[in-house]
Amino acid sequence: MNQDLQDLKAKALAIHERLCAVYGCPIPYFHTLDPLSELISSLLSHRTRNADSGHAYKALRARYADWAEMMNAPLEEVEETIQGVTWPEQKAPRLQAVLRALQERHGALSLDFLKDMPVEEARAWLESIPGIGPKTSAAVLSFSTLRKAALPVDSHHHRVAVRTGLIARNVAVGPSHAVLFALLPSEWDAQTVYDNHEVMMLHGQRCCFFNSPACGRCAILELCPTGQARMRGEDAPVAKPSRTQPIGTSSRYRDGP
Ligand code: SF4
């Protein structure tokens, strides 16, 4: 392993430990959904406030007896049910198309079979379905009852990674999944990988803000070249993410439409 990679791995670990001390690891899982339901929830949540996507998810559960019924429902009805999320006119057909693809490829509307698959294989299987990207596949494997060691990267997590120099600023959210996961110790279990995503996301939400990061009270200032430059008053712009990536509002686990 070259020295640069070793240094980055050591930095990723140090950041994780410091942020865990701030936000309190282990962090409880926020969902106990089966993997297919987690997939629906994740697809609804792209660029949508958590409260609104949660509301839409509950509306679907209340309207349809199961996901098969939603798959076969009139498109306009599904769209009407999820009003309140962003782009319901795109998300409704996508939800139905993803379910049809699953039915066709697996022969059943269930993702429980992923439980016995290695993480990378399971991610590749999910991402072979149009409309499922790296963030959604990782969310399904990590946040659902599968509880696998997959690392989702949302816009907050990505911003902290860019500013601390864990990834170059031109690495967009999608490709950053593999790069950031490769920096984590390979022996980490699912809970610790989940904690890593959560603490990076929380730090982006509560301290490393998009416009005015609170570097003066940041627990990882010592490890962050962007924050150090700002504190020195250097004319260094805050390292902003690449414009090729989406800037979410309260994104947790979402890919683009
Ligand atoms: S030092 Fe500033 S830029 Fe760096 S992670 Fe902390 S808040 Fe963000």
Side-chain angles (χ1 to χ4, degrees):
M1 194 190 305
N2 67 41
Q3 188 59 43
D4 286 351
L5 182 56
Q6 262 181 5
D7 291 348
L8 277 176
K9 285 184 166 207
K11 180 190 252 195
L13 187 57
I15 288 173
H16 174 85
E17 286 170 352
R18 289 191 189 199
L19 293 183
C20 267
V22 173
Y23 299 109
C25 295
I27 293 178
Y29 282 93
F30 67 97
H31 267 175
T32 50
L33 298 177
D34 68 87
L36 181 55
S37 299
E38 185 63 56
L39 174 60
I40 302 290
S41 168
S42 181
L43 291 170
L44 285 169
S45 69
H46 175 65
R47 299 294 290 265
T48 300
R49 291 189 314 125
N50 290 339
D52 293 335
S53 59
H55 183 86
Y57 177 83
K58 283 185 189 141
L60 288 174
R61 302 288 331 212
R63 187 159 205 166
Y64 303 112
D66 53 31
W67 298 127
E69 193 177 315
M70 184 190 84
M71 178 179 74
N72 295 318
L75 177 59
E76 310 71 45
E77 186 183 283
V78 176
E79 187 179 327
E80 176 200 295
T81 310
I82 63 170
Q83 285 298 324
V85 300
T86 51
W87 308 308
E89 72 288 353
Q90 294 177 39
K91 288 180 179 174
R94 171 173 300 163
L95 288 172
Q96 292 188 317
V98 164
L99 289 175
R100 286 188 195 112
L102 173 60
Q103 176 79 56
E104 195 180 302
R105 294 175 193 206
H106 177 54
L109 287 184
S110 169
L111 289 172
D112 294 349
F113 70 96
L114 296 175
K115 187 172 191 309
D116 300 320
M117 232 184 235
V119 170
E120 284 316 306
E121 205 179 312
R123 292 193 66 164
W125 196 95
L126 285 166
E127 289 172 33
S128 72
I129 295 179
I132 300 182
K135 197 165 4 182
T136 300
S137 75
V140 169
L141 297 177
S142 172
F143 301 157
S144 77
T145 49
L146 292 175
R147 302 284 193 247
K148 282 181 173 284
L151 183 74
V153 179
D154 75 346
S155 59
H156 301 293
H157 183 158
H158 181 264
R159 185 170 63 255
V160 175
V162 168
R163 288 174 177 171
T164 52
L166 289 179
I167 51 173
R169 59 194 302 175
N170 62 356
V171 178
V173 170
S176 77
H177 282 74
V179 181
L180 288 170
F181 185 67
L183 295 181
L184 304 182
S186 56
E187 69 276 12
W188 272 9
D189 62 10
Q191 173 73 59
T192 315
V193 173
Y194 170 77
D195 286 343
N196 183 254
H197 164 65
E198 289 289 305
V199 297
M200 293 287 277
M201 180 189 72
L202 288 169
H203 198 60
Q205 289 175 334
R206 299 181 187 176
C207 183
C208 192
F209 306 118
F210 181 77
N211 282 321
S212 300
C215 303
R217 62 170 173 82
C218 178
I220 53 173
L221 173 61
E222 213 177 282
L223 298 163
C224 178
T226 305
Q228 287 166 20
R230 291 188 78 240
M231 296 304 285
R232 287 193 299 268
E234 290 175 7
D235 189 19
V238 171
K240 290 185 178 172
S242 152
R243 279 297 173 197
T244 57
Q245 63 139 33
I247 307 294
T249 49
S250 58
S251 67
R252 200 180 242 294
Y253 39 87
R254 50 197 68 147
D255 292 299

